[in-house]
Amino acid sequence: MELSKFTSQTLSGETEKLTLPPAFVAKMQKLLSAEWKEFELCYENNKYQGLRFNPLKKGLHRQNYKQLLLDLSIQEMEPVLWAEHAYYYPEEARPGRHPYHEAGLYYIQEPSAMCAASLLAPLPGERVLDLCAAPGGKSTQLASFLNQKGLLICNEIHPARCKILSQNIERAGIANAIVTNEDSETLAKHFPEYFHKILVDAPCSGEGMFRKNPEAALEWSENQVEFCAKRQLEILENAAKMLMLGGTMLYSTCTFSPEENEGVIGYFLQTHPEFSIVSKENPYFSSGNPAWGNHIEELSHTFRLWPHRLNGEGHFAALLKKNGQITESEEVLKKKIKSGKKLLEELKKFTSQTLTEEMEDFIFSGDFTLFGEQLYRLPPDSPDLSGLRVLRPGLHIGSFGKNNFKPGHALALFLGQKNVKNSVSLSLSDKWTKMYYNGETLDCEAVKTNAANGWCLVCINGYSAGWGKIAGGMIKNHYPKGLRKETVYE
């Protein structure tokens, strides 16, 4: 059989080669029949790039989007039709190398990947679990629906990927998220029937990402598809135990394989009669195929995103509802808090000097937990986390030293200019902006005219970027050393 070979250009101008595995080609020819040629041609086109603005970022409003896109050298304002706040950008644009990205104004995400959180659409105040959450695109999108209300637990089993997830939660300025590093079975034992909504973006064979990631095609095999399907059923089984009666669960993959999509959901429905597929209208996606899942007619209400039918990569999604009425259980809401009360005086000193009264009230309205010297504000009604591996138990407020308190970077990105008494705003064209991200001391006119001594919120065009400390007309830089870059944008 002749191999299907394609090339694409990288940003450096180098040619990236994509070779589709022969067994994959044969499988897709059989599945797509007359549509195969159209599907094959989509691999000759460049992959689609997308970014999603962060509505949680204080000071960021929809009317600002057009100007922000222009600031990013994106001339066309082309929306991703199935996701709010989301737009395409051309491959030559590099929004990941811009101060706005560092400040958490948007998240770079493949457009089709935005479908899962959009379909689940949690409501403010609900308890939500993103079970396979790294690197964090879907978690940050779920957080935008919650609008800092309720609880979002973002879990990732792999430690290195979990750290990246935690960093992205921090950049987005999310205050009501807990990041855990556990397997699904452990979480299921800890959170029986606890969540209103659960997202299971299951690890898969990645067929839908071949155009975006040619290396994934080299790792593909029919055995891998079979292995993934078994693992997906195990994860889905544990997720079902954590969903409360009346709750909804979104299962998604980035693969075309029926074994991992209609096959998994079909088997799950047969073994879990308490679940049914939610019928939800969506004019942009194709329907799932019941013939690929034991001819269960309900599967026609699942969704397939085909790259030759829309501007995005390959995805599958199924929205499932657990029968019954939603009821709250007092037992699962119990929690154990390490308060660190003896240190709260230092925190109070900082907040009274730095934050507005309204924001100070918000900080102290939550419960605190202390990890070593690090202070976190737990989300309201935070569950008992004892026995779990937790990377981020809420909003990182800062750390305690000898008779002092140092605010955390996460707190800076959560705040807006209107939440602090002392701030300095730099412009994109200002040399001080690059210097700030490089960790240099700032001696600029804005400091001398607009700010007083002490902690100040450093902003870029009015959007919070990090902390600085002013003394003698200069800003001592407190941008985290691990995030500093020689060149943030070009």
Side-chain angles (χ1 to χ4, degrees):
M1 179 182 294
E2 185 177 346
L3 299 180
S4 294
K5 297 182 177 180
F6 307 91
T7 60
S8 63
Q9 293 294 116
T10 65
L11 289 174
S12 62
E14 297 175 353
T15 299
E16 238 180 346
K17 293 184 178 180
L18 166 61
T19 300
L20 297 179
F24 171 76
V25 171
K27 181 178 182 178
M28 296 306 296
Q29 286 175 333
K30 184 178 179 180
L31 292 176
L32 289 171
S33 188
E35 288 189 52
W36 160 252
K37 281 297 180 185
E38 188 181 358
F39 173 83
E40 186 182 34
L41 282 173
C42 79
Y43 286 96
E44 296 182 0
N45 301 322
N46 287 331
K47 55 187 178 291
Y48 288 93
Q49 316 272 357
L51 62 80
R52 184 172 37 75
F53 284 112
N54 177 14
L56 301 181
K57 188 69 180 179
K58 293 181 173 61
L60 177 59
H61 306 289
R62 197 181 295 270
Q63 58 264 33
N64 306 135
Y65 292 172
K66 184 174 183 179
Q67 182 56 54
L68 291 173
L69 289 171
L70 291 174
D71 289 345
L72 297 169
S73 300
I74 300 170
Q75 305 301 320
E76 298 287 331
M77 195 173 180
E78 183 183 358
V80 177
L81 298 175
W82 50 87
E84 274 219 276
H85 315 290
Y87 298 86
Y88 293 94
Y89 67 86
E91 195 163 3
E92 61 270 17
R94 302 187 68 182
R97 297 288 295 166
H98 198 280
Y100 287 161
H101 181 260
E102 301 300 310
L105 270 69
Y106 52 82
Y107 188 97
I108 296 171
Q109 189 176 18
E110 194 280 311
S112 290
M114 301 176 189
C115 75
S118 296
L119 289 169
L120 186 59
L123 300 173
E126 290 186 324
R127 297 196 295 273
V128 181
L129 170 65
D130 189 355
L131 185 52
C132 313
K138 295 176 178 66
S139 288
T140 57
Q141 193 176 2
L142 291 169
S144 71
F145 280 96
L146 292 176
N147 195 28
Q148 308 286 26
K149 300 178 181 68
L151 173 68
L152 175 62
I153 293 185
C154 314
N155 180 73
E156 173 57 42
I157 190 172
H158 300 289
R161 285 170 54 81
C162 197
K163 289 180 181 178
I164 295 170
L165 166 64
S166 184
Q167 290 167 0
N168 284 325
I169 293 296
E170 173 175 282
R171 185 186 296 115
I174 300 169
N176 61 329
I178 293 171
V179 179
T180 58
N181 174 213
E182 286 293 352
D183 59 84
S184 61
E185 184 178 4
T186 298
L187 289 180
K189 292 176 181 176
H190 202 90
F191 295 111
E193 295 191 339
Y194 181 69
F195 296 99
H196 298 87
K197 303 276 173 65
I198 297 177
L199 175 58
V200 181
D201 185 44
C204 67
S205 59
E207 295 170 356
M209 295 291 113
F210 286 174
R211 179 167 60 171
K212 180 181 177 184
N213 180 19
E215 288 185 5
L218 300 176
E219 299 171 0
W220 182 90
S221 71
E222 292 174 287
N223 287 337
Q224 184 196 25
V225 170
E226 183 180 348
F227 170 80
C228 287
K230 290 179 180 178
R231 180 172 58 181
Q232 289 152 0
L233 279 168
E234 178 185 340
I235 294 172
L236 201 53
E237 183 76 27
N238 288 321
K241 296 174 183 176
M242 292 185 275
L243 189 66
M244 66 171 58
L245 297 178
T248 51
M249 177 166 64
L250 192 288
Y251 173 84
S252 64
T253 71
C254 58
T255 193
F256 304 117
S257 166
E259 297 93 328
E260 302 175 68
N261 296 327
E262 288 93 344
V264 164
I265 296 301
Y267 181 84
F268 179 80
L269 290 174
Q270 288 178 324
T271 54
H272 290 81
E274 74 275 21
F275 277 87
S276 59
I277 294 179
V278 177
S279 177
K280 194 170 187 177
E281 291 295 322
N282 191 294
Y284 310 112
F285 307 152
S286 304
S287 298
N289 189 338
W292 296 343
N294 294 332
H295 297 276
I296 298 173
E297 285 306 312
E298 264 193 288
L299 293 170
S300 64
H301 299 307
T302 62
F303 299 102
R304 276 188 171 269
L305 282 67
W306 294 102
H308 63 292
R309 294 184 184 176
L310 49 68
N311 296 340
E313 306 305 318
H315 265 72
F316 172 86
L319 190 61
L320 304 163
K321 185 177 180 65
K322 193 173 188 178
N323 299 336
Q325 288 293 114
I326 290 178
T327 56
E328 299 294 347
S329 168
E330 293 182 7
E331 183 179 354
V332 296
L333 293 177
K334 290 179 180 177
K335 54 185 180 290
K336 296 177 182 177
I337 304 298
K338 301 175 184 177
S339 63
K341 290 180 180 178
K342 63 180 181 180
L343 298 172
L344 293 186
E345 287 185 13
E346 287 296 332
L347 175 63
K348 183 70 176 177
K349 181 179 178 182
F350 163 79
T351 58
S352 63
Q353 292 175 347
T354 312
L355 305 181
T356 61
E357 185 176 338
E358 182 181 14
M359 182 50 61
E360 190 177 14
D361 288 344
F362 170 83
I363 296 296
F364 281 94
S365 68
D367 290 305
F368 297 108
T369 187
L370 202 59
F371 277 21
E373 297 175 344
Q374 307 300 319
L375 183 72
Y376 290 83
R377 180 188 184 273
L378 291 154
D381 292 325
S382 177
D384 179 4
L385 300 175
S386 59
L388 296 178
R389 291 192 295 267
V390 179
L391 263 70
R392 180 175 292 271
L395 178 63
H396 183 220
I397 302 297
S399 58
F400 294 100
K402 291 183 178 180
N403 301 317
N404 65 26
F405 176 81
K406 180 180 178 182
H409 187 58
L411 178 61
L413 294 179
F414 165 74
L415 297 170
Q417 264 192 299
K418 293 181 179 180
N419 303 136
V420 297
K421 297 177 180 178
N422 212 16
S423 67
V424 170
S425 187
L426 309 173
S427 70
L428 286 176
S429 59
D430 200 326
K431 68 176 182 179
W432 305 110
T433 298
K434 288 185 180 181
M435 291 176 66
Y436 179 70
Y437 281 109
N438 292 343
E440 300 176 46
T441 298
L442 306 185
D443 180 15
C444 52
E445 194 62 31
V447 176
K448 297 174 181 176
T449 57
N450 299 326
N453 287 349
W455 288 104
C456 76
L457 190 66
V458 178
C459 303
I460 309 298
N461 278 1
Y463 303 109
S464 63
W467 292 109
K469 200 166 189 181
I470 298 177
M474 301 180 72
I475 298 180
K476 182 180 178 182
N477 201 316
H478 283 267
Y479 194 73
K481 291 182 180 179
L483 298 178
R484 294 175 186 177
K485 296 177 172 63
E486 290 185 3
T487 304
V488 175
Y489 65 101
E490 299 168 358

